[in-house]
């Protein structure tokens, strides 16, 4: 059994097409349903972005991203290339097929209104699109559109945010990487994606960090038997088998 | 790790109960009451969830808890926070020194990934929780409320390189953790039946709970 992830391995020809691109401003939220076999590439165009993301099975909204299962079955605290994002039903929503950032957080959750207060008043009436949105409220707004609420808000991923720990367990948000960091998700089953571009809750910047993300959507090439995510560890092979079983039953 | 013993005597407890491995406990603790979980035989994991008794959609949040204390481990002094970032309970005594809240609970589905596809029919913590909420609709809990839990007595160290490891050797017979409720809380424990993980020596054992006013 191998649990090491070789993030330097090149990933040619994993992507068939790029069909759509959009820029999501900082402090915004969005959601969309991704089909099995599609890809989503995120680019931190300015540096210092944080993209909060949640995953649900659109056919059974009770099946959702499970951070503990994703971490423990891959023996990792960080998410990066080669890792898979697991649901609570032992299936894989998405694989991280490319990642130049190297370390993404999935244990710190969201910014709440109280975290944003340090930067001033959160006032749409006065500030319009420059208001200071927080991640918790952004998720609640998007979740409500699918009949989901507070109780459905599990641990999210925070793309482009790195949380390091020392031997006593003390946590710290690492400094942001330069502009241009990029990661690509390949969806292994139909997935409802909920996302926001609000600051990481541990961000101590002097000013509210309003950072956009560039999103590209397209089609993936079929997963091969030598795929780096599938072969990253025995656990991922079994996860892909669970997905195959799920698709047999549909 | 901070090891702090309690002054409370088990003979003075208002209530005690033993929970066998593979069973669950579901009950309410009032604000101000103190709640102890004892690892009777050692190296057992008590997979625990907490809910605001007046609104179970507010519940224990591992993410809010570790972020606000800037530390991934739980011990004496840890404030257990909700998904609304409110304090549910405080750990006031702990003779074990460290508890995990990153590793989550075993489930029949995750067991297929972690161990073998054929392990799907072995009993697991999430199934114990499912039975608990099905047998006790009066608590108003639903599958959507079952989120990321605390593993009392488990040691799951994070490495500086970003690895996650499962280690043995912190808990022992009679070690306990004690919490004081800040609001009325529902406690849901699955005493872990895990037979595949060496952390409990492949021998799941009972835990005891006690409540003081």
């Amino acid at each position: 059994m191998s649990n090491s992830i070789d993030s330097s391995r090149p990933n040619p020809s994993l992507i068939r097409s790029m069909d759509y691109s959009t820029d999501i401003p900082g402090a915004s939220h969005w959601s969309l349903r991704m089909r099995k076999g599609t890809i989503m590439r995120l680019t931190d165009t300015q540096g210092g972005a944080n993209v909060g993301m949640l995953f649900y099975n659109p056919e059974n909204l009770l099946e959702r991203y499970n951070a503990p299962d994703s971490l423990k079955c891959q023996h990792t605290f960080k998410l990066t290339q080669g890792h898979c994002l697991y649901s609570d039903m032992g299936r894989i929503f998405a694989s991280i097929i490319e990642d130049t950032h190297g370390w993404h957080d999935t244990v710190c959750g969201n910014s709440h209104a109280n975290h944003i207060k340090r930067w001033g008043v959160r006032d749409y009436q006065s500030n319009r699109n420059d208001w200071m949105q927080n991640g918790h409220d952004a998720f609640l707004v998007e979740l409500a559109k699918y009949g989901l609420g507070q109780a459905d808000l599990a641990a999210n991923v925070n793309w482009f945010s790195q949380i390091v720990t020392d031997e006593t367990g003390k946590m710290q948000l690492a400094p942001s990487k330069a502009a241009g960091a990029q990661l690509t998700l390949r969806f292994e089953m139909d997935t409802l994606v909920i996302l926001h571009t609000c600051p990481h809750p541990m961000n101590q910047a002097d000013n509210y960090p309003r950072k956009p993300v560039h999103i590209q959507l397209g089609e993936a090439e079929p997963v091969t038997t030598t795929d780096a995510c599938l072969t990253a560890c025995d656990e991922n092979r079994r996860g892909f088998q669970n997905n195959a079983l799920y698709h047999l039953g549909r | 790790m901070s090891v702090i013993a309690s002054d409370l005597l088990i003979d003075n407890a208002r209530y005690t109960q033993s929970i066998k491995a593979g069973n669950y406990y579901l009950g309410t603790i009032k604000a101000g009451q103190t709640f102890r979980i004892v690892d009777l035989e050692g190296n057992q994991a008590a997979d625990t969830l907490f809910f605001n008794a007046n609104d179970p959609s507010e519940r224990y949040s591992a993410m809010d808890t570790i972020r606000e204390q800037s530390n991934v481990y739980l011990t004496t002094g840890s404030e257990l926070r909700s998904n609304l970032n409110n304090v549910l309970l405080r750990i006031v005594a702990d003779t074990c020194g460290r508890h995990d809240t990153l590793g989550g609970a075993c489930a029949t589905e995750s067991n297929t990934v972690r161990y073998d596809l054929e392990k799907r029919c072995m009993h697991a913590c999430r199934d114990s929780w499912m039975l608990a909420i099905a047998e006790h609709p009066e608590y108003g809990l639903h599958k959507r409320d079952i989120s990321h839990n605390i593993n009392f007595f488990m040691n799951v160290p994070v490495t500086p390189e970003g690895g996650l490891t499962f280690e043995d050797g912190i808990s022992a017979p009679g070690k306990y953790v004690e919490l004081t409720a800040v609001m009325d809380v529902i406690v849901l424990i699955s005493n872990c039946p895990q037979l595949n993980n060496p952390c409990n020596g492949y021998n799941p054992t009972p835990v005891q709970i006690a409540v003081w006013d």
Side-chain angles (χ1 to χ4, degrees), chain B residues 89-151:
Chain B
L89 308 97
R90 290 193 178 89
I91 300 181
V92 293
D94 174 21
T95 60
C96 186
R98 177 185 281 184
H99 307 272
D100 163 61
T101 191
L102 295 177
C106 62
T108 56
E109 294 82 9
S110 68
N111 282 349
T112 68
V113 175
R114 293 192 70 201
Y115 306 111
D116 189 283
L117 296 174
E118 303 313 315
K119 303 287 188 191
R120 71 165 59 86
C121 296
M122 294 178 69
H123 191 42
C125 280
R126 211 172 294 157
D127 281 3
S128 293
W129 289 333
M130 294 302 145
L131 183 63
I133 62 178
E135 288 187 336
H136 294 280
E138 68 273 20
Y139 285 90
L141 296 171
H142 188 257
K143 197 255 190 184
R144 65 207 289 258
D145 300 303
I146 302 301
S147 185
H148 310 328
N149 60 294
I150 301 173
N151 292 307

Side-chain angles (χ1 to χ4, degrees), chain A residues 2 30 41 50 70 79 91 108 115 118 147 151 175 220 237 243:
Chain A
S2 164
W30 192 37
R41 178 181 281 166
N50 178 71
S70 301
L79 296 175
R91 293 188 272 264
C108 286
H115 296 109
R118 59 193 295 274
R237 288 181 196 276
N243 277 49

Side-chain angles (χ1 to χ4, degrees), chain B residues 50-69:
Chain B
F50 297 102
F51 304 87
N52 175 347
N54 300 309
D55 174 11
S57 76
E58 180 173 15
R59 47 156 162 81
Y60 173 71
S61 165
M63 301 83 71
D64 291 85
T65 298
I66 66 173
R67 182 191 65 240
E68 295 302 315
Q69 66 175 16

Side-chain angles (χ1 to χ4, degrees), chain A residues 62-69 71-73 75-78 86 88-90 103 106-110 112 115 136 147-156 164-171 201-202 234-236 238-239 241-242 245, chain B residues 55-59 62-64 66-73 82-85 98 101-107 109-117 120 126 142-149 158-166:
Chain A
L62 289 172
E63 180 176 1
R64 66 261 328 248
Y65 173 63
N66 190 293
D69 283 0
L71 296 182
K72 73 183 170 188
C73 81
H75 303 267
T76 187
F77 178 67
K78 63 181 176 186
Y86 280 84
D88 62 290
M89 296 295 284
W103 186 313
T106 186
V107 303
C108 286
N110 263 310
H112 294 261
H115 296 109
H136 184 77
L148 300 171
Q150 182 173 291
D152 302 290
L153 218 170
N156 55 286
V164 293
T165 61
D166 66 15
E167 64 282 354
T168 67
K170 188 159 177 51
M171 301 155 67
M202 290 177 73
D234 291 343
E235 287 84 349
N236 286 0
R238 292 190 285 266
Q241 279 182 272
N242 282 347
L245 178 65
Chain B
D55 174 11
S57 76
E58 180 173 15
R59 47 156 162 81
M63 301 83 71
D64 291 85
I66 66 173
R67 182 191 65 240
E68 295 302 315
Q69 66 175 16
S70 293
N71 196 296
V72 293
Y73 309 122
S82 75
N83 51 336
L84 300 183
N85 210 15
R98 177 185 281 184
T101 191
L102 295 177
C106 62
E109 294 82 9
S110 68
N111 282 349
T112 68
V113 175
R114 293 192 70 201
Y115 306 111
D116 189 283
L117 296 174
R120 71 165 59 86
R126 211 172 294 157
H142 188 257
K143 197 255 190 184
R144 65 207 289 258
D145 300 303
I146 302 301
S147 185
H148 310 328
N149 60 294
V158 175
T159 68
E161 297 75 35
L164 196 66
T165 50
F166 290 78

